[in-house]
Structure formats: C-alpha cells, structure tokens
Amino acid sequence: MADQNEAGRLKQETALQKLLRRPEIGSFTVMLIIIVALSFASEGKSFNALGLKNNIAIIAQYGIIATGAAVLMIAGEFDLSIGSMIGFAGMAMSMMLKWGLPFGMGEATPFTAFIFTLAMTLIFGWLIGTVVVRSGLSSFIVTLAFLFFLRGVTEVSFRLINKSTQISGLPDYKEESWFANLLGGDVFGWFYDLWFMLGGNLNRKGAQWVDGFDARFLWWLIISAVAYFILSRTQFGNWIFATGDNKEAARANGVPVNRVKVTLFMFTAFCATMFAACQVFDTNTSDAAKGNLMELFAIAIAVVGGTLMTGGFGSIIGVVFGAITVGLVANAVFFIPAIDGAWFRVFLGAILLAAVFANERIRKRITGGI
Amino acid sequence: MSDPYLRVEGLVKRFGPFTALGGVDLEVYPGEVHCLLGDNGAGKSTLIKTLSGVHEPTKGKIYIEGKPVKFRSPRDASDAGIGTVYQDLAINQLLSVTRNFFMGRELKGSFGTLRMDEMNQIAHDEMLKIGIDFSDPTQAVGTMSGGQRQTLAIARAIYFGAKVLILDEPTSALGQKQQMGVLKTIKKVRARGDIGIIFITHNEIHSRLVGDRFTFLALGQTIGSGTNSEINDEEMRRLMSGGAEMGDLKQELAAI
Ligand SMILES: Nc1ncnc2c1ncn2[C@@H]1O[C@H](COP(=O)(O)OP(=O)(O)O)[C@@H](O)[C@H]1O
Ligand SMILES: [Mg+2]
C-alpha cells in the first residue's frame, strides 16, 4: 500500500535534536540569557541570599496566576478578571479578619476567612465561565466586564464597611495560626540553613541573614506540578487540549467542552485567590488596587512560555521559564539602581512580540504549515 | 438477506421555516456499503448529522436492529453503534494520534491517570488493521496526510464499537492516490462483514467501485434507490443530476 511507507518518511531524530525542537526551548534560552546578564549587571546581588528570596517571591506571584491563565488559554479562552479577582479576594479576606465573618457569624480565623473568600471567588469563576459558554460571547468581553465589576465591588465594599480602601496593621497571624503560616510564612528554611552552614548567607554581623523563601514559592511549585500532571497525564488534560484546539471536534467525540471551560475559569479564580492569600498573610495588609494589571502579566507570561493565543497548545514548563524571565526583569531595577524601571515594560513588550512569532512558527511546524 | 442494522423512515428535518430533509428513507445492512448521493445542498450532511445525534429529527423514525431509538446527543448515537467520520473529521491537529484516537474516551488507570503506553499500542494496532503502519502515534496529527487522517478517524470509530460507519465525503479533499487508499480502507472494513457503511460522495466512479446499494437525494427528498445491479449507468447519471433527464440537460445547455 502506498500509505504503508508513509511512516518511513519521518526522519529519525537524535535525543538532542528532539530537545532542540521542544516548544520550551525559546523561553528557556531567553531565561538563561537573562539570568547570566543579570548576575553580571547586578554584580551577583540578584542571586545573593536576599536577592534570591526577593526574586523568587515575585516569580512565584507571576507563576501562580500565569499557570491559571495558561491552562485556560490552552482550552481556548482568556480571563481578564484575574487582577480584579486578586483585589477582591484580598479585600474579602482582610475585611473578614478585621470586621468578622458575614451574617454575624462571629470572628474570623485565617482559615475561615480564606475558605469563605475562596467560596466566593470560585462562585465568581463559575459564573464567568457559565456566562461565557452559555452566551457564546467572547471571553475577552465577558471577563473585561468582570474586570470592572469586581474592581468596583472591591472599592465599594471597602468604603462601605471599612471607610477606607486599605487595611493595614492586621495582627501577624502567622505567629499563631499554622494556616496563615502556610500561606504567608517561610518555606524551605533548610536551604538557607545549609547555605549558612556552608559559610554563606551572612549578614553584616556575621549571623544567618535569610531564614527561608516566601510560602508562595511552595504554592507556585505545587500549582505548576499539579497543572503539569493534569495536562500531560489525565483524561481531563486531554479534554483541555481538545477543547482549545477544535471545540466542535472535541464535542463530537463526547468531550464535555462547556464543563471543561467552566472548571478552568474556576481554576484561574483559585489561582488569583492563592495570590491574594499569600499576600495578605505575608504582609498583613490589603488595599483596593492590589492585583492591578496582573491579568495582562499573566497572559503575557503564558505566551512567552509558549502558550498559543488560539488555544490547543501550551506547556507548563514553558510558563515556569516565562515567569522566571519576567519576574527577574521586573525586579532588576532593585539590583541595578542605574537603570530606569520602565525598561522592564520595554523588555516585556519586545519578548512578548518575539514569543508570538516564535509560537506561530511552532504551531505551523506541528500542523504541517496550515 | 439479513435484517438492516439501521433503518430510517420518513425522516423530516426543518431548520425554522427551511425544510432540509422532507421525508427520507434509508436502510443499512451489515457488510454492505450504502452510497448516499446527491448534489450540494441536497441534505446529505443533515441526514447523517441527524443519524449521529447532532440534530434531533423534526419527524420520522430511526430504528436500530428493528427497535425505535431517539438520540439526544452524539454520545447516544455512538453508544448505539453509529460511528461518524465527519467531513472535517473531528480531529485536533495539534494533538497526537493517540490523543485524538481516544479523545473523549480515554483509558484511565487506578488514579485517573492515562494509560498512555497501552493507548499508543492500541492506536497503532487498530490503524495497522485497516492499512496504515504509523510507527509513532505520539506524533501530532497535523503532520499526517489527508488519507491518513481518514484512516485514523475510521479506525477510531470501529474500535469504539461502530456497527454503522458513516463517511461524509471522505474522498472529496484528497488527491487521486489517497482517494484510492480510502476506497481500499472502505473495502477492508466491508470485508469484515459485521459493519455497514454509509458512504457519501459526489463521485459516480467511486460509488460504483465500492457500493452495494444507492440512495439518491435531491432537495431533501429521496428521488431514487436500489442495489448496484438494479441501477444502470444512465439511471445513475440521471439521479445524480437531481432527477433531470440527460436529454433535458443537453437541451438546456444547448439553449445558452
Ligand atoms: N444548521 C442549519 N441551519 C439551517 N440550515 C441548514 C443547517 N444545516 C444545513 N442547512 C441547510 O440544509 C440544506 C442541506 O444542507 P446539507 O445537508 O449540508 O447538504 P449536503 O451535505 O447534501 O451538501 C442546505 O440548504 C443548508 O443550507
Ligand atoms: Mg455535505
């Protein structure tokens, strides 16, 4: 049969060739360049004990929401409400901690404040997703509506109940609550202990300088690992890809396309809530402007990480590289005071554009140039 | 002759005021290729979409092995043994062959994880059975030729228990050589003897080559049907052109 030799036409590749063709290779290369350039330009300060902690703090923040945005984009939708959802979740949590639970249910603990907030944000996520799949409207416009709506609700609630659009000076819950500590405390202390034992990580007095990473580092790793596992190893993961690639094809094969999408809108709401919770319990403050523009950073990082704007394709590992790259550059101004912080946005714009072209090339290669 | 696996009686489908199907009858027997012929817009795709649970019929009955059935979703139809290979193939280009093969019906292990190795093996073996030795089922479908995609979609439908295989214009977008490949695949499936095939085509030669039985549609109506031996070439041509006599057409053309 003519077709029988078709398979033979496929060139066998070496392991190295395969590696070089991976979709993450672009974001990986950019990341390496940034790490090396930053180490030199900051005279090592970016990656000393404190520099590493601060860099990872912002990388993890970006990474958490970019993971949510990327998985949703793979399923073919956008969520512009992520930033406002962060603001809303932070407001809800801190107000419950300050003013008590709603409906006169008494004082809030960090745990109950978190659970109540998560319940609300998940309901919003569900609502956004349901509106998108039921109306058939573009998620761009539906979530843009929620961007304004949630930010407005956040400010109004703050003013009505709290009289001010920020809360500061909450007690340091992580001292007593294991739960607050899980979100806002330190993790991987052993890393810095080890560094100290090996003779580094010293402050001016010669004592141990830094004790651990922010807890959001751990949450970022967990969320990324779970997202990676689901996408590559589970039925739901296959449904996510199928939904984003060709919705009608997926539906014809029995994939519950709408359920997949609604679930993923709830997932971005979850990621936004984790972002907010880590912030609230780390700093014991919140204000109505928190999370502003974060939805755009999340989408930009997802794209830099190799996620297709058109859905159906993306890589969590790529998003990890993207978050590291963007986080490092966002923070660079703190380590290299001579540069103007606005260069960050110039850089982000440039790599975003480059990434879009690179992703398009990858898509063409996979689909055989269509 | 055995009983038909699938029988359609007086099927009507309206879209609002527009009657896409105005009472169509059809019988599909195991081990037979039933060609569905007709001009663009005749209602062929609408008929098979109704049979595969995408549309609900406005009127009329569908019987599977003599029992009346109602399909509320494509899932219902595929559970009843109707496997549809759409014109657009319902294939995701960016996904691997295996992930497409099992789309919506993935094999899961104890922790809900995909049994990827097993799925790769099955996808490879099932496609080999009907003609393609595709060595690397982890490759994206985007790199496959049109004929190979057909084979994937057909192998998938058969593996998931299709007793009636519906092929909507499977040869229309292909080159000569690949068209022959698809016809060979149809013959292979027919030779199994347990699967009936509805083959939609514009091509008279193709339908002669593989067809056992023909139904001709025009403007949503059945205008003729019969077995391969009952319908001669002239009759075939007349019905293909929507029921007009060849002579009439000649006159019409001559008048221009
Ligand atoms: N979902 C629909 N809504 C309205 N009209 C439709 C729909 N699907 C098909 N039609 C109409 O029904 C007629 C038959 O179409 P179709 O079944 O696709 O024909 P064929 O496949 O034989 O070329 C066409 O006139 C088409 O415009
Ligand atoms: Mg058609």
Side-chain angles (χ1 to χ4, degrees), chain B residues 45 87 168-169:
Chain B
S45 293
Q87 227 158 351
D168 190 3
E169 305 202 26

Side-chain angles (χ1 to χ4, degrees), chain B residues 19-253:
Chain B
T19 304
L21 296 174
V24 173
D25 302 325
L26 189 73
E27 284 180 355
V28 182
Y29 295 87
E32 273 196 12
V33 177
H34 193 132
C35 296
L36 193 57
L37 301 130
D39 219 345
N40 272 329
K44 306 180 298 292
S45 293
T46 307
L47 174 59
I48 60 124
K49 277 187 179 151
T50 314
L51 292 180
S52 50
V54 176
H55 298 320
E56 268 194 60
T58 313
K59 244 197 258 166
K61 287 230 156 63
I62 302 172
Y63 300 91
I64 297 279
E65 295 182 309
K67 290 189 219 50
V69 289
K70 261 209 164 75
F71 301 144
R72 288 199 178 71
S73 69
R75 201 50 172 270
D76 282 358
S78 94
D79 288 348
I82 297 192
T84 311
V85 176
Y86 292 99
Q87 227 158 351
D88 57 13
L89 295 177
I91 273 181
N92 282 322
Q93 304 220 24
L94 294 162
L95 294 190
S96 72
V97 172
T98 301
R99 279 174 182 268
N100 267 289
F101 194 97
F102 285 93
M103 196 199 309
R105 288 171 289 211
E106 295 82 357
L107 302 184
K108 287 187 292 178
S110 40
F111 297 103
T113 51
L114 296 176
R115 304 209 300 266
M116 219 57 208
D117 292 339
E118 199 182 333
M119 283 162 49
N120 282 333
Q121 191 62 45
I122 292 172
H124 171 264
D125 293 352
E126 292 299 312
M127 286 174 64
L128 184 59
K129 276 188 205 162
I130 58 169
I132 302 188
D133 185 2
F134 208 80
S135 59
D136 183 10
T138 61
Q139 223 190 314
V141 164
T143 55
M144 295 170 89
S145 73
Q148 291 176 325
R149 291 179 200 199
Q150 287 289 346
T151 311
L152 165 59
I154 293 170
R156 174 172 69 183
I158 294 174
Y159 178 72
F160 286 107
K163 290 291 163 220
V164 173
L165 187 64
I166 304 180
L167 308 175
D168 190 3
E169 305 202 26
T171 53
S172 66
L174 302 180
Q176 282 287 342
K177 210 167 155 190
Q178 294 192 4
Q179 290 182 355
M180 286 305 132
V182 171
L183 295 184
K184 280 184 196 163
T185 306
I186 291 176
K187 278 284 193 192
K188 277 195 185 163
V189 177
R190 180 181 177 276
R192 293 172 46 130
D194 58 339
I195 294 178
I197 300 167
I198 301 179
F199 175 32
I200 300 179
T201 178
H202 278 305
N203 192 313
E204 189 185 326
I205 301 166
H206 289 173
S207 55
R208 271 291 183 220
L209 283 172
V210 298
D212 297 295
R213 199 177 288 273
F214 303 99
T215 293
F216 299 86
L217 290 186
L219 302 175
Q221 309 277 349
T222 311
I223 55 165
S225 59
T227 61
N228 202 344
S229 54
E230 285 165 13
I231 295 178
N232 64 29
D233 285 354
E234 192 160 333
E235 178 77 349
M236 179 113 168
R237 238 162 275 143
R238 185 180 74 81
L239 292 165
M240 289 278 285
S241 55
E245 298 292 342
M246 237 6 195
D248 296 349
L249 283 176
K250 271 191 194 146
Q251 265 181 354
E252 249 178 69
L253 289 172

